[in-house]
Amino acid sequence: MVVASFGRRPVFFIWPAINRSLVSPTCPPRFVRFASPSAKPSKLVAVAASMENPPPGYRRNVGICIVNPENKIFSASRLDIPGAWQMPQGGVDGEEDPRVAAFRELKEETGVTSAEILAEVPYWLTYDFPPEVREKLNKQWGTDWKGQAQKWFLFRFTGKEVEINLSGDGSEKPEFAEWTWMTPEQAVEFKKPVYEQVLQFFKPHLQPDSASQRQITSGDQPYFGDLTP
């Protein structure tokens, strides 16, 4: 459970759809594992692990949900898969802090630097690569990852739309062809089940009046399942 305070009223966020027999009532799961990123599994599996350490064998990755003042979500279409839309995301470099990685990936993929973190999912969300994808990506990366463990962040876009540039900052090859703002209901259709879980957690911040609420995170310091960095 994550507790935040807006004014004098405490607000409790409870991670949804978890098998309660696997979770301590006083301690939420540190990551949730999905068997496949392409279809919602019949059962979610919660396993205890530290927030800093996802399960062994999974590539660390950050997911970025960035919203505009109207609480619509930035989504972009992929160059390599026509018709596939997603939120920005990318791998964490070495011992890089996930928050630092999220800002870096946001800039690399969208050119955006005018943004602030509103919240983060305090769990790693993991999924396994399908066998053929695992073989392809591990050959490309020179690794042997089972899948990815994602840490998701909610950003508020504070700049002007002219700042958005799908060529990014020029440091990486462009990944997206076009972009738009979507409602949460539209965005979740593209990548279940992870988007569904992420947006459920961020839901308190996506209400019509949430833009006026003060920002909070899951900690005190300054996360569907895609198959690529």
Side-chain angles (χ1 to χ4, degrees), residues 24-132:
S24 165
T26 60
C27 180
R30 293 300 187 183
F31 66 84
V32 178
R33 179 178 177 182
F34 298 94
S36 169
S38 59
K40 187 174 181 178
S42 58
K43 182 179 181 181
L44 304 184
V45 180
V47 185
S50 73
M51 188 173 69
E52 294 77 17
N53 298 302
Y58 288 83
R59 179 177 181 261
R60 293 201 307 161
N61 184 283
V62 290
I64 300 161
C65 178
I66 182 167
V67 297
N68 66 9
E70 288 73 44
N71 286 329
K72 289 192 174 180
I73 297 169
F74 177 91
S75 300
S77 63
R78 291 176 52 155
L79 284 168
D80 59 344
I81 307 178
W85 291 72
Q86 70 175 57
M87 301 183 218
Q89 67 175 58
V92 178
D93 293 339
E95 298 303 314
E96 185 180 28
D97 184 279
R99 294 176 184 83
V100 174
F103 277 105
R104 174 181 55 75
E105 286 291 338
L106 182 62
K107 181 181 178 182
E108 289 178 359
E109 296 190 357
T110 71
V112 169
T113 58
S114 302
E116 60 183 0
I117 293 178
L118 297 180
E120 65 181 270
V121 178
Y123 323 122
W124 290 96
L125 308 181
T126 75
Y127 64 85
D128 295 335
F129 294 137
E132 66 279 5

Side-chain angles (χ1 to χ4, degrees), residues 76-216:
S77 63
R78 291 176 52 155
L79 284 168
D80 59 344
I81 307 178
W85 291 72
Q86 70 175 57
M87 301 183 218
Q89 67 175 58
V92 178
D93 293 339
E95 298 303 314
E96 185 180 28
D97 184 279
R99 294 176 184 83
V100 174
F103 277 105
R104 174 181 55 75
E105 286 291 338
L106 182 62
K107 181 181 178 182
E108 289 178 359
E109 296 190 357
T110 71
V112 169
T113 58
S114 302
E116 60 183 0
I117 293 178
L118 297 180
E120 65 181 270
V121 178
Y123 323 122
W124 290 96
L125 308 181
T126 75
Y127 64 85
D128 295 335
F129 294 137
E132 66 279 5
V133 174
R134 178 177 179 178
E135 181 180 359
K136 176 183 177 181
L137 291 181
N138 282 323
K139 182 177 181 180
Q140 174 184 330
W141 293 333
T143 57
D144 189 28
W145 301 117
K146 301 174 185 177
Q148 295 201 116
Q150 294 188 312
K151 191 74 165 61
W152 277 89
F153 296 87
L154 175 65
F155 283 80
R156 172 78 65 196
F157 180 50
T158 59
K160 303 293 185 182
E161 289 189 355
V162 67
E163 182 178 328
I164 299 173
N165 178 4
L166 296 186
S167 295
D169 62 359
S171 64
E172 299 288 339
K173 182 179 178 180
E175 296 186 21
F176 300 127
E178 55 184 331
W179 66 271
T180 190
W181 299 105
M182 293 186 178
T183 65
E185 292 76 19
Q186 291 171 322
V188 79
E189 288 302 314
F190 287 96
K191 292 183 181 295
K192 294 182 177 179
V194 176
Y195 276 15
E196 193 172 62
Q197 295 291 331
V198 167
L199 293 181
Q200 181 65 32
F201 187 87
F202 291 152
K203 187 176 180 178
H205 301 275
L206 302 178
Q207 304 305 313
D209 63 344
S210 64
S212 64
Q213 297 173 340
R214 69 178 180 85
Q215 73 171 21
I216 65 169

